Amino acid sequence: MVQRADINNVLSEIRNLRSQMVQNQRIDQDQSVRGRVDGPRSVQETKEVPSFNDMLGKAVNGVNEVQSQANELRTAYEMGDPNVDITRVMIAAQKSTVSFEALTQVRNRVVRAYEDIMNMPI
């Protein structure tokens, strides 16, 4: 399975943040109408951000895992496994292709950024 943020999880986080912002605006408006401030609100703890090396490693491992799952499904279908249908095989193959292409694009952009930085005058 690919170690990446699922789009539904990302959308859920955005909706949660938006509702918190709207709620904070309402509280600010209510307090300004009353003319008083109760003090600072609680601050959420910051999460530790993974390093670029960790994220890249997880992405490469995720792509590798997706490709091996696609190969296993393809082999099972070719062997005549009745539990594996062609649609699952094709979807797995497309996921594998898309994930590899995305990783290649990320690699190309990182290499281009590195080259741009190395070519900068000092």
Side-chain angles (χ1 to χ4, degrees), residues 97-108:
T97 302
V98 169
S99 63
F100 183 75
E101 288 176 4
L103 183 65
T104 303
Q105 290 297 321
V106 169
R107 184 217 47 195
N108 291 344

Side-chain angles (χ1 to χ4, degrees), residues 24-103:
N24 287 343
Q25 286 177 345
R26 286 184 193 146
I27 290 172
D28 289 343
Q29 289 172 352
D30 290 345
Q31 288 176 352
S32 64
V33 168
R34 287 186 234 140
R36 64 181 178 92
V37 176
D38 291 335
R41 288 184 213 96
S42 64
V43 177
Q44 294 180 352
E45 290 185 29
T46 58
K47 296 180 182 177
E48 185 175 324
V49 178
S51 69
F52 180 77
N53 188 30
D54 292 339
M55 290 175 57
L56 188 62
K58 285 180 182 179
V60 170
N61 291 336
V63 169
N64 184 37
E65 194 172 314
V66 168
Q67 287 180 337
S68 39
Q69 287 175 354
N71 287 335
E72 289 173 7
L73 281 174
R74 186 177 304 134
T75 303
Y77 181 76
E78 289 171 352
M79 297 296 232
D81 187 352
N83 296 328
V84 179
D85 57 348
I86 188 71
T87 55
R88 284 181 54 201
V89 174
M90 295 305 294
I91 290 172
Q94 287 300 314
K95 281 183 182 179
S96 170
T97 302
V98 169
S99 63
F100 183 75
E101 288 176 4
L103 183 65

